[in-house]
Amino acid sequence: MDDRGGSFVAVRRISQGQCHSSSAEIVAGSTAWLGRGLSCVCAQGRESDPRPSFDLTPIQEECLQSIQSRIDVPYDSSIPEHQDALKALWDTAFPEEKLHGLISEQWKEMGWQGKDPSTDFRGGGFISLENLLFFARNFPKSFQDLLRKQEGDRSVWEYPFAVAGVNITFMLIQMLDLEADKPRTLVGATFLKFLAENESAFDLLYCITFKLMDHQWLAMRASYMDFNTVMKSTRRQLEKELLLEDITRLEDVPSYRLLSK
């Protein structure tokens, strides 16, 4: 994700428990969610910091290469598989509403910045779409609760759901140092142990993180200008939980209990 300019989208809540355009107002601003805004959240290390590396087992090396191959795939709207995944995301999110096209004003209802979601995948790639789809299929109640902002005392100006999801994918890639040849942080090395046991560990951690982020959002009584602060807090909490001594699988992480199927 580069330091490009752009615009963010905030969702103004009009009524509780609805996500469609009849109940939300889309507002554009001058600060990028996918660019300057998130870069300062994820690039937390300093050049002077020691960067140890951790030796991997052959299985862990294979798992790291597999997740890296997923990360390297950009979203391409000309590829049928990518088109189908995007359609599947809509159908899962809004089964009661027919999608009129891959480029449509309807996408704003999900929290994309414009009518073409492909422009928002630049920061996260195809894996960010896979993460959203995994969340929708495996934890449908939590997915719908976050999509429609159904839990808690919500802000008048809410974070856009889909764009926040892409941000979370990117944050996790940075936090876990998944683009390095070997993990250079203890949390990255710890995650690869989970990944060696569960090939869906990254997708599962994404779901945990999204729900944790919303939990932090509500606890901090945040509004859209607080998004980066909430993401920093989410990252710190997640790192602490992943390094707890009694964690042997992601389902043991305390924040996993926030999820509902």
Side-chain angles (χ1 to χ4, degrees):
M1 182 173 297
D2 55 24
D3 191 24
R4 66 174 71 87
S7 62
F8 65 77
V9 174
V11 179
R12 182 186 180 195
R13 295 211 32 94
I14 306 298
S15 60
Q16 183 70 21
Q18 296 182 357
C19 184
H20 297 284
S21 56
S22 60
S23 62
E25 177 184 343
I26 305 300
V27 180
S30 60
T31 304
W33 286 82
L34 299 175
R36 294 188 181 93
L38 186 59
S39 295
C40 65
V41 172
C42 297
Q44 296 184 353
R46 298 184 299 272
E47 292 184 2
S48 60
D49 289 342
R51 299 301 298 269
S53 61
F54 295 81
D55 292 331
L56 303 177
T57 67
I59 293 177
Q60 290 171 346
E61 287 183 357
E62 183 179 347
C63 290
L64 178 58
Q65 292 170 3
S66 177
I67 193 69
Q68 287 175 339
S69 68
R70 291 180 63 192
I71 292 170
D72 288 341
V73 178
Y75 179 83
D76 187 339
S77 59
S78 68
I79 298 177
E81 177 189 359
H82 294 197
Q83 296 175 6
D84 291 344
L86 191 57
K87 292 175 185 175
L89 178 63
W90 177 270
D91 291 341
T92 308
F94 300 115
E96 74 285 354
E97 182 176 347
K98 179 178 175 59
L99 179 65
H100 300 314
L102 292 180
I103 299 178
S104 170
E105 294 290 334
Q106 291 172 285
W107 288 109
K108 295 180 182 179
E109 301 172 20
M110 194 183 292
W112 300 104
Q113 296 190 88
K115 61 183 181 180
D116 183 3
S118 66
T119 62
D120 289 331
F121 285 121
R122 289 174 297 180
F126 184 58
I127 192 172
S128 59
L129 173 55
E130 291 180 312
N131 289 158
L132 280 166
L133 195 52
F134 181 92
F135 191 13
R137 287 172 169 169
N138 289 273
F139 299 95
K141 184 181 186 305
S142 288
F143 179 89
Q144 289 292 334
D145 286 345
L146 299 190
L147 172 65
R148 302 174 188 268
K149 305 296 192 295
Q150 292 179 329
E151 292 186 343
D153 184 12
R154 312 302 309 196
S155 169
V156 174
W157 298 99
E158 278 288 327
Y159 63 84
F161 173 79
V163 175
V166 177
N167 277 324
I168 288 170
T169 296
F170 180 74
M171 183 270 281
L172 287 175
I173 292 171
Q174 296 296 302
M175 184 188 83
L176 301 172
D177 204 20
L178 292 177
E179 294 180 297
D181 292 335
K182 292 183 179 181
R184 296 171 294 182
T185 63
L186 182 56
V187 70
T190 299
F191 171 74
L192 287 180
K193 294 179 181 179
F194 299 142
L195 188 62
E197 298 294 329
N198 179 0
E199 63 180 8
S200 299
F202 185 79
D203 303 273
L204 178 56
L205 184 60
Y206 172 88
C207 300
I208 295 170
T209 306
F210 210 145
K211 188 64 177 177
L212 174 60
M213 185 277 290
D214 190 73
H215 182 76
Q216 299 276 60
W217 178 275
L218 292 172
M220 296 169 68
R221 302 184 65 84
S223 187
Y224 72 94
M225 290 298 290
D226 304 312
F227 184 78
N228 282 343
T229 301
V230 174
M231 287 289 284
K232 290 177 182 179
S233 176
T234 301
R235 173 171 173 162
R236 288 193 297 269
Q237 180 63 28
L238 192 63
E239 288 174 330
K240 289 179 182 178
E241 293 189 13
L242 287 172
L243 296 178
L244 292 173
E245 291 185 0
D246 57 346
I247 302 299
T248 60
R249 56 181 191 147
L250 285 178
E251 289 85 351
D252 297 329
V253 172
S255 289
Y256 176 82
R257 295 191 289 270
L258 298 172
L259 289 167
S260 300
K261 294 186 177 183

